[in-house]
Amino acid sequence: MEKKAVCTLALAFFAITACAPVSEKPEKLEEQVLVFPPPPEPARYYFERTIRSSTDIEIEDRSASWRRILTGETATAIGFSKPYDVVVCQGRIYVSDTVRRSVLMFNVPAGEFAQIGDKDPGTLRKPLGIAADSNCNLYVADGTANSVLIYDQDGQFIRAIGGGDWFDRLSHVETDPDGQRIYCVDTGGVDSKRHQIRVFDVQSGKHLFDFGSRGEGPGQLNLPRDIAMGPDQRLYVVDGGNFRIQVFERDGRYVKQIGAIGVRPGQFSRPKGVDTDADGNIYVSDAAFGNFQIFNADGQLLLFVGSRSESPAPAKYLLPAGLAVDEDGRVYMTDQFFRKVDVFRPAILGPDQGFLGAGTSNR
């Protein structure tokens, strides 16, 4: 009898609880947003996303998606092997990969992915620094071919400039917005005197002039690594062996230097990449610090973003290399060791704004 009563009570309890309103699930905790600088300072940049492979960008059509579901196939991803440099034009993210021997193009607005330079004509052997003009034509410094190879925005080969004995160690390239001139960085070496910038006419391939010579004085270079043209048409050169950024007019006349060797913010230990934004601010990646620093046009430090780490995570770097700033102010940072590109969005730009924002909202 006692056992029967217990069972009756249990059934009654079950009936009551079964009919009772189900409590709502606890609200999902919001993902932590990485902001730079951290609070309580006003936000200036947000970490937005990491790109590692084609699946981070490609939009799969419905038929392919259903086929994968029915057959159990997995999506094919083409990822980075050793990303070196990055440039962005109208939502197209171009990343050179020295191991894949090609440039990987992530067309965010269209949700498309492609490889450039992986076949003739225009096969790449060791793509290093890259640049783009206002028409999104792509310029690739090939360290083995000693040439700059030029492609249109869809990756169709146009022409090559240089070759032969023009360079001792070609490492980077920059172009003016109209694609009239290219500025090629010859990093040189221990036994080389060619620590300089060589300038060519894009249409004719004619060599125009050089500037820079090996040394540590104003206008001299020691192992130059990267170059960027600012909105003021001035050229910003990573003078790696002298631990500084040197600024030149587009005709090669020396203007000034930014930074010096040291371990404090605003100084450099192993500067690698450089770019500028529309306001003339200067961005410099440093492989020793594992970050990029932002300076105003006068060379005053505004902010640094990221830190060195042996574990992969957003805004963590072990071997950072090239960086780029797009038309909307987003910053892109490569890491060769973690095989990624991190994207940072300026706080004044909404997540659905700009070329990347429009592409993401259409997915």
Side-chain angles (χ1 to χ4, degrees):
M1 186 72 182
E2 184 179 347
K3 192 177 290 186
K4 186 176 180 180
V6 171
C7 290
T8 303
L9 287 170
L11 288 170
F13 178 77
F14 177 78
I16 293 170
T17 55
C19 296
V22 179
S23 62
E24 294 183 3
K25 292 181 181 179
E27 291 186 5
K28 197 174 183 180
L29 292 175
E30 292 185 4
E31 294 182 7
Q32 185 178 6
V33 177
L34 279 179
V35 58
F36 303 90
E41 295 294 323
R44 298 173 73 171
Y45 283 91
Y46 294 103
F47 169 80
E48 190 166 66
R49 66 191 300 183
T50 293
I51 298 171
R52 293 187 177 88
S53 73
S54 56
T55 56
D56 294 321
I57 297 298
E58 281 186 300
I59 300 175
E60 189 175 50
D61 63 59
R62 186 170 296 180
S63 61
S65 178
W66 276 109
R67 185 175 64 251
R68 285 200 308 104
I69 293 171
L70 294 172
T71 62
E73 295 176 1
T74 56
T76 302
I78 299 177
F80 298 124
S81 293
K82 196 172 183 181
Y84 186 86
D85 197 17
V86 58
V87 70
V88 186
C89 184
Q90 298 177 14
R92 291 175 170 85
I93 305 170
Y94 301 94
V95 184
S96 60
D97 193 308
T98 55
V99 172
R100 283 196 175 276
R101 298 185 180 183
S102 61
V103 173
L104 280 58
M105 181 186 72
F106 304 85
N107 188 341
V108 178
E112 297 174 348
F113 169 83
Q115 282 186 264
I116 298 173
D118 58 336
K119 54 184 176 295
D120 283 329
T123 300
L124 293 166
R125 297 163 67 186
K126 189 179 181 180
L128 296 171
I130 55 179
D133 61 28
S134 58
N135 293 317
C136 297
N137 293 315
L138 178 68
Y139 302 76
V140 184
D142 190 314
T144 298
N146 263 347
S147 301
V148 173
L149 281 70
I150 307 173
Y151 307 82
D152 68 18
Q153 63 178 257
D154 297 317
Q156 297 300 309
F157 177 68
I158 299 175
R159 68 176 66 88
I161 294 175
D165 297 325
W166 276 108
F167 306 99
D168 284 349
R169 193 176 158 198
L170 174 64
S171 61
H172 274 84
V173 63
E174 177 63 302
T175 179
D176 54 21
D178 297 330
Q180 299 299 310
R181 288 181 175 180
I182 54 172
Y183 299 82
C184 307
V185 179
D186 196 337
T187 299
V190 176
D191 300 322
S192 170
K193 294 182 179 179
R194 285 181 174 174
H195 298 236
Q196 61 185 2
I197 311 300
R198 313 209 80 173
V199 187
F200 296 83
D201 180 87
V202 170
Q203 296 302 317
S204 67
K206 179 183 177 182
H207 173 240
L208 301 177
F209 61 92
D210 302 327
F211 63 90
S213 60
R214 189 171 190 181
E216 57 185 25
Q220 293 184 312
L221 301 168
N222 183 21
L223 301 175
R225 298 185 181 277
D226 197 1
I227 185 171
M229 178 174 279
D232 55 4
Q233 300 291 294
R234 286 178 170 173
L235 295 159
Y236 298 79
V237 179
V238 177
D239 188 5
N242 289 322
F243 308 95
R244 62 188 179 184
I245 302 297
Q246 292 211 68
V247 186
F248 299 86
E249 299 290 358
R250 60 180 298 168
D251 61 4
R253 287 178 294 138
Y254 171 76
V255 177
K256 62 181 179 180
Q257 79 169 50
I258 296 171
I261 187 171
V263 296
R264 295 182 308 213
Q267 298 177 323
F268 301 120
S269 182
R270 198 177 168 197
K272 280 293 189 73
V274 64
D275 205 358
T276 62
D277 65 20
D279 295 324
N281 297 317
I282 304 143
Y283 299 68
V284 184
S285 62
D286 196 299
F289 298 155
N291 67 11
F292 62 86
Q293 300 185 84
I294 307 173
F295 302 83
N296 66 16
D298 295 324
Q300 297 171 322
L301 179 67
L302 302 177
L303 179 67
F304 66 89
V305 175
S307 60
R308 187 172 174 82
S309 174
E310 294 185 0
S311 300
K316 300 292 185 182
Y317 307 100
L318 187 58
L319 196 57
L323 85 166
V325 185
D326 72 10
E327 304 94 328
D328 303 312
R330 283 181 168 92
V331 184
Y332 305 75
M333 176 88 146
T334 64
D335 189 286
Q336 295 180 292
F337 188 86
F338 293 139
R339 295 184 291 183
K340 67 172 182 174
V341 174
D342 279 352
V343 185
F344 300 86
R345 174 174 52 84
I348 60 172
L349 190 73
D352 59 346
Q353 293 181 316
F355 286 104
L356 248 62
T360 303
S361 64
N362 289 334
R363 296 191 63 160

